[in-house]
Amino acid sequence: MRGLRTILPWRSNHTSRLSTHFPCDNSAMDDTEKYLPEIYRSFRSRFGDVVERHDAVAEAVDEAGPLDEQTSRLVKLGIAVGAQSEGAVRSNVRKSLDAGLSREAIEQVILMGLTTRGFPATVAAWQWASEVWLHRENK
């Protein structure tokens, strides 16, 4: 079976053409930040004031109800799986692990997407999560 990088060549690890339009200084980044896509880092660098406001709204939403951080992380992961958003799945897997959630809890949320979002979307989300786990194990 061929990997997604073979089937979908634009999902390769090489630098995006967009990154040349949005230069980003990577010198002061920690390991977590280096794992973030170049285009995301470039966007944050270029539109810092907008991103700060967006982050503030996200924080307010997180604090608006009774859910604890771990539950919120799993809900957001489920939404990301449902939207089949690679960046959001990867981000929420990292944040879920940082919040102390187990790999098994994260896998269960991804697996729950099977009956709602379908087999291909669930397998894709599991691959993205697996790549995050592999990256963390190799640190």
Side-chain angles (χ1 to χ4, degrees):
M1 184 155 112
R2 295 184 301 170
L4 285 180
R5 299 218 191 297
T6 304
I7 298 168
L8 307 174
W10 65 86
R11 291 186 45 165
S12 66
N13 288 330
H14 58 68
T15 305
S16 165
R17 289 176 292 162
L18 293 174
S19 66
T20 60
H21 299 291
F22 300 101
C24 182
D25 176 15
N26 298 335
S27 60
M29 289 190 296
D30 66 19
D31 227 16
T32 302
E33 290 170 319
K34 286 181 183 176
Y35 188 69
L36 298 174
E38 173 70 21
I39 194 65
Y40 175 78
R41 289 181 278 145
S42 297
F43 186 91
R44 286 190 73 89
S45 176
R46 173 70 175 93
F47 302 104
D49 58 331
V50 174
V51 172
E52 283 180 24
R53 291 183 179 114
H54 180 268
D55 290 347
V57 169
E59 186 176 334
V61 168
D62 288 347
E63 296 171 357
L67 298 181
D68 63 22
E69 181 183 9
Q70 289 188 337
T71 305
S72 293
R73 285 284 139 228
L74 293 176
V75 169
K76 287 182 179 188
L77 176 59
I79 292 168
V81 170
Q84 202 171 3
S85 173
E86 179 179 359
V89 169
R90 290 176 181 277
S91 175
N92 282 290
V93 168
R94 285 192 303 272
K95 291 176 179 178
S96 293
L97 291 169
D98 291 344
L101 286 156
S102 67
R103 178 178 176 153
E104 292 77 15
I106 294 166
E107 284 180 323
Q108 183 180 4
V109 168
I110 293 170
L111 188 59
M112 287 176 163
L114 186 67
T115 57
T116 305
R117 188 60 174 96
F119 192 80
T122 301
V123 171
W126 189 75
Q127 176 186 351
W128 302 327
S130 295
E131 290 170 2
V132 171
W133 293 314
L134 181 63
H135 175 78
R136 293 228 172 169
E137 290 169 3
N138 291 330
K139 279 191 347 184

